[in-house]
Amino acid sequence: PPSRFRRWIADGRMVAERHAGVLDKSFSHATRDDARLLRIADRVAVALISIKTEVGNRPAALDHYVVPVTEASDLDDFMTDTGTTFSDYLDRLEARVLRMEDRLKPDTATSELASVLGVAAGTPVLSINRVAFAREDRPLFLCRRAIVASAADYQVVIE
């Protein structure tokens, strides 16, 4: 049976979705907006990961993960291409995620997002900002997701 975290991933994502691949991964510093959402200081070191997902072999969503380096120590293998996948890393976070905050809003695809997702600029998208927290309300990661509206099927299950 799927773990609690895998159910959350499945429930928060589109039906029959698959990762099309990691587009980018790097280390940087938190922007002011990311720091505010993650409740961390500006310019804290973070890992940045961008992942494109597909539904029926068509690009449908783009995820931008921001992971504070203090929470990313076991992310080193993934970031240095030694065989660990981002899904493996997310699985390791399972026991640490105690709560999540999602903010959803309608939006339109920028020209940059449109080119990645293969849609026209201005196409309706559903924007989701998800922050996952551990004990003592410590932020584990921020995921900014843009889903092509015609592919969106968002469901939340609270157990």
Side-chain angles (χ1 to χ4, degrees), residues 78-106:
F78 168 74
M79 296 299 284
T80 57
D81 292 323
T82 57
T84 300
T85 67
F86 191 62
S87 293
D88 292 339
Y89 173 69
L90 287 177
D91 286 345
R92 287 194 290 268
L93 283 178
E94 174 186 347
R96 297 168 58 196
V97 174
L98 296 181
R99 72 179 189 86
M100 291 170 286
E101 293 178 3
D102 282 4
R103 293 190 179 261
L104 291 75
K105 71 175 187 169

Side-chain angles (χ1 to χ4, degrees), residues 22-57:
V22 175
L23 301 178
D24 187 41
K25 57 185 176 179
S26 62
F27 288 103
S28 187
H29 295 94
T31 65
R32 181 172 286 140
D33 192 40
D34 291 346
R36 179 184 55 78
L37 289 170
L38 284 165
R39 302 175 190 167
I40 59 177
D42 288 0
R43 309 291 299 159
V44 165
V46 293
L48 303 173
I49 301 111
S50 296
I51 299 174
K52 182 169 64 171
T53 55
E54 297 178 341
V55 172
N57 293 325

Side-chain angles (χ1 to χ4, degrees), residues 2-155:
S3 68
R4 183 188 71 173
F5 195 78
R6 286 192 186 280
R7 280 199 310 271
W8 166 71
I9 291 290
D11 292 340
R13 296 194 179 205
M14 296 163 286
V15 175
E17 165 184 302
R18 71 177 185 84
H19 289 291
V22 175
L23 301 178
D24 187 41
K25 57 185 176 179
S26 62
F27 288 103
S28 187
H29 295 94
T31 65
R32 181 172 286 140
D33 192 40
D34 291 346
R36 179 184 55 78
L37 289 170
L38 284 165
R39 302 175 190 167
I40 59 177
D42 288 0
R43 309 291 299 159
V44 165
V46 293
L48 303 173
I49 301 111
S50 296
I51 299 174
K52 182 169 64 171
T53 55
E54 297 178 341
V55 172
N57 293 325
R58 295 187 60 204
L62 181 62
D63 293 337
H64 292 291
Y65 285 88
V66 180
V67 184
V69 171
T70 55
E71 301 302 332
S73 59
D74 55 348
L75 188 56
D76 286 342
D77 287 343
F78 168 74
M79 296 299 284
T80 57
D81 292 323
T82 57
T84 300
T85 67
F86 191 62
S87 293
D88 292 339
Y89 173 69
L90 287 177
D91 286 345
R92 287 194 290 268
L93 283 178
E94 174 186 347
R96 297 168 58 196
V97 174
L98 296 181
R99 72 179 189 86
M100 291 170 286
E101 293 178 3
D102 282 4
R103 293 190 179 261
L104 291 75
K105 71 175 187 169
D107 207 347
T108 56
T110 62
S111 57
E112 180 183 1
L113 177 61
S115 68
V116 171
L117 295 178
V119 297
T123 297
V125 295
L126 176 63
S127 292
I128 304 170
N129 285 340
R130 170 173 286 163
V131 181
F133 294 92
R135 288 188 179 149
E136 298 169 7
D137 226 24
R138 194 175 71 250
L140 293 174
F141 65 83
L142 162 65
C143 178
R144 294 180 186 277
R145 174 168 251 222
I147 305 171
V148 176
S150 62
D153 180 12
Y154 193 85
Q155 177 184 10

